[in-house]
Amino acid sequence: MAQKKALITGITGQDGSYLAEHLLSLGYEVHGLVRRVAFEDPQRRFTRIGHLLDQLTLHPASLESYPSIFSVVSRHQFDECYHLAAQSFVAESFADGFSTMNTNINGTHYMLAALRELQPRCRFYFAGSSEMFGKVREVPQKETTPFHPRSPYGISKVAGFDLTRNYREAYEMFCVSGILFNHESPRRGFEFVTRKITSGAARIKAGLEKELRLGNLEARRDWGHAKDYIRAMHLMLQQEQPEDFVVASGESHTVRQFCELAFGEVGLDYRDHVVQDEQFYRPAEVESLIGDATRARTVLKWQPEYTFPALVKDMITHDVQMMSDRNAAKSQTASEAI
Ligand code: G4F
């Protein structure tokens, strides 16, 4: 069988980097769209894919520029396209709703339009989100649950979801959306609450800080491991029929419970360190999310490997190790200077 070629937007992010590893392990030729600025700052921007660089083909392009996307899609024929790139931080979408909407909605539209024009047989995956459920209409949330987004980010994802479905229905393209609930890992950005907690606990444990300032500790999320969730993305594009799927753990925990577990892993009591701070509350909060991934489990035969405690442990262990590597490097530099 001929080697499959995949294009990933957002390849430098948490999901993109794990997905690239997974597709390479399956024998794919993997291409990525990367903003030009990233090529100018590889040390910082390529941290998650540094170990893969010699196996990837990266193309400079911007989600804000149709010509740049068109140019890449006109030069290479892809079997699958995973559109993961987005402004994905919900809090930032309140600060600048306009740029979130521009990037997320137009970026998805440009990708779909370029594929339709140049290679309509390429299968397309859109990174939908549980944020689309927002003020939830039923518990747990599944594929048929109506959307009620609560942020510009959530609204942009509903628009991307609708665009993807419309290209499927109007042009008979294989276009699907994964409705993924929160998925975390040691590669998660530091602004998201899970990584903020594990990196904060590691810094406190190392004696570098005393407190961690957070917002709403009672918010509930359905947290899984990104490594598990990217396998579901791939499975969705291997089906006979294009269909959308919810991907979730089916468990819900509060931010407070995440703190309790993460701090507990390093022998600390979060109540001695976590301070609630108004500045991290959102103008409209998604109070509680919990997904029902029955269809993913039965149709895709998808099974997550990580439990909630295993996820927390993976993240905190990594951050504690990172802190001790940094301290070792610092003392090495200091002893060399003597
Ligand atoms: O970690 P978060 O910022 O993730 P959020 O908003 O749930 O969104 C993430 O998951 C979505 C999937 O459902 C993705 F689509 C999206 O791109 C992103 O990956 O916040 C989680 C919860 C929120 O309720 C927030 O209010 O944690 C609460 N929280 C409490 N204190 C905080 C903080 N969130 C952040 N980022 N920082 C805090 O200090």
Side-chain angles (χ1 to χ4, degrees):
M1 215 174 71
Q3 187 185 31
K4 279 193 180 176
K5 230 188 226 190
L7 175 65
I8 305 177
T9 75
I11 196 168
T12 58
Q14 168 187 264
D15 293 4
S17 63
Y18 282 128
L19 180 63
E21 276 170 13
H22 184 56
L23 295 180
L24 287 169
S25 78
L26 296 174
Y28 279 64
E29 181 179 317
V30 179
H31 293 238
L33 285 193
V34 179
R35 275 177 296 170
R36 190 167 289 285
V37 284
F39 287 96
E40 288 155 16
D41 187 10
Q43 290 278 20
R44 213 161 59 82
R45 309 265 189 166
F46 290 163
T47 46
R48 298 182 181 94
I49 55 166
H51 60 299
L52 302 175
L53 284 178
D54 57 348
Q55 301 171 68
L56 302 173
T57 309
L58 301 180
H59 307 278
S62 160
L63 280 191
E64 278 138 38
S65 152
Y66 183 68
S68 74
I69 292 170
F70 191 89
S71 154
V72 175
V73 179
S74 66
R75 281 183 283 116
H76 299 270
Q77 199 69 33
F78 300 108
D79 299 287
E80 296 168 12
C81 171
Y82 297 86
H83 177 44
L84 313 182
Q87 192 304 94
S88 65
F89 187 33
V90 175
E92 169 60 23
S93 83
F94 283 109
D96 187 352
F98 294 94
S99 79
T100 301
M101 296 277 192
N102 282 341
T103 308
N104 294 5
I105 302 177
N106 292 340
T108 305
H109 200 180
Y110 294 158
M111 288 305 303
L112 284 163
L115 288 174
R116 180 190 167 213
E117 184 70 25
L118 298 165
Q119 32 187 309
R121 290 165 67 107
C122 173
R123 295 184 167 207
F124 180 82
Y125 173 88
F126 171 65
S129 159
S130 55
E131 279 293 303
M132 300 189 300
F133 296 122
K135 191 169 181 184
V136 300
R137 307 269 187 92
E138 74 180 319
V139 180
Q141 297 82 52
K142 49 183 188 280
E143 288 81 1
T144 49
T145 304
F147 298 141
H148 184 146
R150 294 266 285 170
S151 63
Y153 168 81
I155 294 166
S156 76
K157 285 288 172 179
V158 172
F161 178 93
D162 285 339
L163 277 165
T164 303
R165 184 178 48 201
N166 191 236
Y167 269 70
R168 176 165 81 219
E169 293 174 354
Y171 310 118
E172 291 176 8
M173 290 168 66
F174 193 111
C175 297
V176 301
S177 295
I179 307 176
L180 270 54
F181 281 64
N182 296 51
H183 45 289
E184 320 293 311
S185 77
R187 295 187 192 170
R188 190 56 148 150
F190 291 95
E191 67 275 38
F192 297 96
V193 79
T194 55
R195 191 76 196 281
K196 189 171 167 186
I197 295 168
T198 58
S199 62
R203 290 176 69 80
I204 291 169
K205 181 70 184 171
L208 296 175
E209 268 158 29
K210 286 201 165 51
E211 64 173 36
L212 175 63
R213 303 187 86 80
L214 296 174
N216 181 8
L217 298 185
E218 310 316 327
R220 287 189 157 270
R221 288 293 182 274
D222 177 329
W223 280 296
H225 200 298
K227 265 190 191 174
D228 283 334
Y229 286 37
I230 55 93
R231 284 191 288 106
M233 298 177 185
H234 174 253
L235 289 170
M236 279 180 228
L237 293 197
Q238 314 313 309
Q239 301 307 300
E240 279 188 16
Q241 297 300 325
E243 286 180 301
D244 305 323
F245 287 89
V246 157
V247 181
S249 77
E251 276 182 36
S252 173
H253 299 272
T254 59
V255 172
R256 185 184 296 283
Q257 285 167 331
F258 196 103
C259 289
E260 195 175 350
L261 217 55
F263 278 80
E265 278 291 334
V266 291
L268 298 173
D269 186 333
Y270 80 96
R271 289 171 296 187
D272 298 333
H273 305 282
V274 170
V275 178
Q276 281 189 269
D277 186 333
E278 285 290 317
Q279 69 164 303
F280 297 112
Y281 280 76
R282 294 175 183 175
E285 174 67 290
V286 172
E287 299 292 346
S288 180
L289 289 172
I290 179 164
D292 174 356
T294 304
R295 284 190 69 253
R297 287 174 190 265
T298 52
V299 180
L300 303 178
K301 310 270 181 278
W302 174 75
Q303 277 298 341
E305 286 173 7
Y306 284 82
T307 59
F308 179 65
L311 164 69
V312 178
K313 195 178 173 97
D314 188 33
M315 293 180 72
I316 186 79
T317 307
H318 174 274
D319 284 345
V320 167
Q321 184 62 46
M322 206 169 88
M323 204 50 67
S324 97
D325 291 349
R326 251 186 227 167
N327 287 345
K330 262 192 203 151
S331 29
Q332 169 82 14
T333 320
S335 66
E336 282 166 6
I338 292 169

